């Protein structure tokens, strides 16, 4: 899933490649943003900004920095977190509680046709509470191990291995 | 290197999350270069995460693409029409030869210029990578500082200055207590770096009778640039104190090593 051809073409400002890239990543990036903001309109705004950034700054990506997936994930998380400091977010979120991505999934009734919806639901149903927290902080919110260890009050050394076992179950349930 | 062990350490997941430090990230990249067989593992982690985050999306955001296109003004500029060459004229043949020779000279010169420019590109690229690294570090520092400022400015926060004690009359510290979220932020920029094998330990105190409860130790003091530590505090604290303790902390405070102390104003 490292779409090298596509990246090079987008770096050369190939519009069709950009559209393909959008088709590939927009929904999952939208999910990451939505997990932070829990507001459809605001998440759309951020999604738009993120892809404009990808188009304008694509040449600053190189494989040395990490996976392309990771690169856009970082852009999206940062943009979403920036948005939480905005006035429009604060107005929209006055009376809402902080939910985990899991709560969003539990309330959902229909899923994207791109994914193994039954698998994801099975995973969520069987997910340990600590896994919910760890995946939420590290993957969806971009916490470092240290920050997550402090927030959850579990030893730094366990974060990495616990997270691995949470993701391992995900892969097993989805058979990837 | 034991690849199985490396995989099961869980570092690859964090690499895909993008939450490693820059050095750790580079180290993983180098291992990946040396062990292409890890690509499969990375890909599977990615696919799992793609599915999970796609599931969170409320719907497929197709309509947003049109807005992006408008914003970027893609598709708007028609390709410019290049005029076709004019009717060929009948140049005498010797002019053609002269042109070829001029072209040859030009090519040699161009080749040299090209070489120089390429070298310059390489130099510029290196410079750019270094600058980008610096910007990243600065941005990270800035966002941490902003976060701290937000915390301290919050109106629900109680600020408690901790005064120096006999051990070190120059020491000072401050506690910012967010009662609602049961969190205390300990600002210890005014404490000396603890000697090797020692750590600072923060205590919540009840005064009547005097009962200390440990809030935790300030691990990794030197690497915390802001010198602000967040610790959970579920106590009805009446005072806070900081003592120097052996690594790992102590059951009860070593009072001879009490560095700072402050009462909560009631």
């Amino acid at each position: 899933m490292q779409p090298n051809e596509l990246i090079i073409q987008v770096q050369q400002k190939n519009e069709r490649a950009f559209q393909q890239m959008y088709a590939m990543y927009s929904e999952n990036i939208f999910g990451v943003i939505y997990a932070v903001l829990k507001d459809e309109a605001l998440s759309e705004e951020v999604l738009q900004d993120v892809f404009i950034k990808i188009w304008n700054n694509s040449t600053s990506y190189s494989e040395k920095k990490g996976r392309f997936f990771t690169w856009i994930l970082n852009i999206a998380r940062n943009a979403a977190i920036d948005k939480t400091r905005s006035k429009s977010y604060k107005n929209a979120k006055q009376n809402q509680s902080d939910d985990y991505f899991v709560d969003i999934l539990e309330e959902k009734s229909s899923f994207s046709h791109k994914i193994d919806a039954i698998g994801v639901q099975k995973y969520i149903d069987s997910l340990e509470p600590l896994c919910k927290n760890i995946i939420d902080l590290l993957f969806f919110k971009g916490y470092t191990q240290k920050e997550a260890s402090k927030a959850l009050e579990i030893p730094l050394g366990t974060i990495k291995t616990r997270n691995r076992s949470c993701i391992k179950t995900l892969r097993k349930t989805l058979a990837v | 290197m034991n690849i199985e062990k490396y995989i099961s350490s869980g570092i690859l997941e964090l690499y895909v999350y993008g939450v490693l430090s820059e050095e750790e990230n580079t180290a993983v990249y180098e291992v990946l270069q040396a062990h292409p067989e890890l690509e499969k593992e990375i890909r599977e982690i990615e696919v799992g995460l793609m599915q999970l985050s796609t599931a969170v999306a409320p719907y497929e955001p197709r309509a947003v693409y049109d807005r992006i296109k408008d914003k970027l003004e893609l598709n708007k500029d028609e390709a410019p029409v290049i005029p076709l060459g004019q009717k060929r004229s009948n140049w005498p043949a010797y002019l053609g030869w002269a042109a070829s020779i001029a072209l040859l000279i030009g090519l040699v010169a161009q080749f040299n210029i090209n070489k120089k420019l390429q070298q310059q590109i390489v130099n510029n690229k290196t410079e750019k990578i270094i600058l980008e690294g610096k910007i990243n570090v600065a941005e990270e520092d800035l966002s941490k500082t902003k976060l701290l400022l937000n915390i301290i400015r919050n109106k629900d926060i109680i600020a408690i200055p901790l005064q120096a004690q006999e051990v070190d009359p120059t020491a000072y510290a401050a506690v910012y207590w967010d009662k609602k979220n049961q969190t205390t932020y300990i600002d210890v920029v005014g404490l000396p770096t603890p000697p090797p094998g020692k750590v600072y330990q923060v205590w919540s105190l009840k005064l009547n009778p005097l009962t200390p409860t440990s809030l935790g130790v300030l691990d990794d003091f030197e690497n915390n640039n802001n010198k602000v530590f967040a610790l959970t505090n579920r106590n009805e604290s009446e005072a806070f104190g900081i003592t120097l303790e052996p690594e790992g902390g102590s059951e009860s405070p070593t009072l001879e090593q009490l560095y700072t102390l402050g009462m909560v104003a009631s």
Side-chain angles (χ1 to χ4, degrees):
Chain A
M1 289 285 287
Q2 178 80 347
N4 290 321
E5 266 306 302
L6 216 52
I7 296 167
I8 293 169
Q9 286 172 350
V10 169
Q11 286 174 335
Q12 294 164 346
K13 302 286 178 199
N14 178 329
E15 206 187 308
R16 185 170 297 172
F18 183 58
Q19 190 162 7
Q20 269 180 43
M21 189 176 272
Y22 185 84
M24 224 168 135
Y25 291 108
S26 61
E27 198 168 358
N28 100 283
I29 288 302
F30 192 41
V32 170
I33 297 166
Y34 187 76
V36 177
L37 298 176
K38 289 126 202 154
D39 181 292
E40 290 174 5
L42 288 176
S43 300
E44 282 199 5
E45 263 174 47
V46 173
L47 181 70
Q48 177 181 323
D49 294 347
V50 167
F51 271 88
I52 287 175
K53 258 190 200 152
I54 292 174
W55 176 257
N56 287 335
N57 302 331
S58 62
T59 48
S60 78
Y61 169 75
S62 84
E63 218 178 346
K64 283 196 178 142
K65 289 189 175 169
R67 305 287 290 183
F68 187 70
F69 172 82
T70 310
W71 187 69
I72 56 178
L73 178 66
N74 263 323
I75 295 180
R77 274 191 309 229
N78 290 341
I81 290 167
D82 270 352
K83 196 68 161 184
T84 60
R85 306 195 182 109
S86 73
K87 217 172 180 176
S88 51
Y89 175 79
K90 283 173 185 155
N91 289 342
K93 292 285 123 183
Q94 259 168 3
N95 301 315
Q96 293 202 21
S97 59
D98 278 338
D99 291 339
Y100 292 123
F101 72 98
V102 178
D103 302 311
I104 298 172
L105 288 176
E106 277 169 348
E107 283 163 18
K108 264 182 93 166
S109 50
S110 70
F111 287 91
S112 166
H113 59 86
K114 285 190 193 155
I115 62 162
D116 171 7
I118 298 170
V120 169
Q121 258 168 333
K122 218 160 92 189
Y123 178 60
I124 294 302
D125 291 343
S126 65
L127 196 58
E128 290 168 59
L130 188 57
C131 279
K132 293 178 191 180
N133 293 323
I134 288 184
I135 295 177
D136 188 62
L137 291 184
L138 289 169
F139 175 62
F140 284 101
K141 311 258 160 80
Y143 276 44
T144 63
Q145 292 177 72
K146 221 191 246 174
E147 289 163 343
S149 134
K150 273 199 182 139
L152 301 173
E153 294 178 58
I154 55 178
L156 185 59
T158 31
I159 294 272
K160 208 162 43 170
T161 44
R162 277 311 289 267
N163 175 64
R164 170 158 172 84
S165 75
C166 303
I167 293 299
K168 221 170 155 184
T169 325
L170 171 70
R171 284 163 59 185
K172 219 159 117 195
T173 323
L174 297 177
V176 293
Chain B
M1 170 181 277
N2 183 337
I3 286 299
E4 284 305 307
K5 230 176 162 178
Y6 190 72
I7 291 176
S8 63
S9 77
I11 191 151
L12 296 177
E13 281 80 359
L14 299 185
Y15 178 74
V16 176
Y17 288 0
V19 297
L20 295 175
S21 72
E22 218 168 313
E23 297 94 73
E24 290 172 311
N25 209 51
T26 314
V28 174
Y29 176 74
E30 275 158 16
V31 174
L32 293 182
Q33 295 303 102
H35 298 275
E37 68 269 28
L38 287 174
E39 169 74 19
K40 182 171 170 280
E41 182 74 16
I42 295 260
R43 203 170 45 228
E44 289 176 7
I45 295 168
E46 247 179 45
V47 172
L49 293 172
M50 279 281 258
Q51 296 234 5
L52 189 62
S53 46
T54 301
V56 179
Y59 45 85
E60 194 180 350
R62 276 204 201 144
V64 179
Y65 187 72
D66 292 328
R67 272 185 266 150
I68 293 170
K69 242 171 55 179
D70 286 347
K71 267 258 156 93
L72 291 174
E73 302 197 312
L74 298 180
N75 240 349
K76 278 207 175 141
D77 299 340
E78 290 290 322
V81 180
I82 301 160
L84 288 173
Q86 271 131 19
K87 220 178 142 198
R88 270 178 116 180
S89 18
N90 278 329
W91 293 94
Y94 64 83
L95 245 182
W97 280 106
S100 314
I101 293 164
L103 183 67
L104 194 66
I105 296 168
L107 278 177
V108 172
Q110 207 64 64
F111 178 74
N112 285 330
I113 294 173
N114 199 16
K115 242 168 78 180
K116 270 190 204 153
L117 284 177
Q118 264 171 0
Q119 185 54 44
Q120 209 175 342
I121 290 175
V122 172
N123 292 346
N124 286 347
K125 272 189 184 155
T126 322
E127 209 172 304
K128 192 168 163 239
I129 290 171
I130 294 170
L131 281 177
E132 273 172 10
K134 283 186 184 163
I135 291 173
N136 285 341
V137 172
E139 273 178 356
E140 205 173 285
D141 279 352
L142 179 65
S143 69
K144 273 187 196 154
T145 312
K146 272 189 184 162
L147 195 69
L148 279 177
L149 196 60
N150 279 344
I151 291 167
I152 290 171
R153 279 184 174 162
N154 187 327
K155 68 176 165 44
D156 298 327
I157 292 256
I158 308 170
I160 305 122
L162 306 189
Q163 311 299 344
Q165 303 295 312
E166 271 166 50
V167 178
D168 183 350
T170 63
Y172 65 93
V175 171
Y176 299 92
W177 185 11
D178 183 347
K179 248 185 172 169
K180 206 172 88 196
N181 293 315
Q182 303 188 328
T183 307
T184 46
Y185 300 90
I186 322 290
D187 179 1
V188 287
V189 77
L191 290 186
T193 303
K198 298 277 189 175
V199 289
Y200 288 115
Q201 188 165 8
V202 182
W203 306 88
S204 154
L205 305 169
K206 290 282 263 183
L207 296 177
N208 262 324
L210 186 64
T211 345
T213 313
S214 172
L215 296 184
V217 294
L218 307 183
D219 274 329
D220 215 2
F221 187 90
E222 240 173 303
N223 292 328
N224 184 326
N225 287 334
N226 287 313
K227 296 282 181 278
V228 175
F229 294 80
L231 297 175
T232 308
N233 180 18
R234 301 204 171 86
N235 305 296
E236 279 301 316
S237 314
E238 290 168 357
F240 292 94
I242 301 179
T243 59
L244 191 66
E245 304 289 345
E247 219 161 327
S250 306
E251 286 279 298
S252 60
T254 313
L255 290 175
E256 302 77 51
Q257 291 293 328
L258 180 63
Y259 270 70
T260 57
L261 181 68
M263 308 286 164
V264 179
S266 46

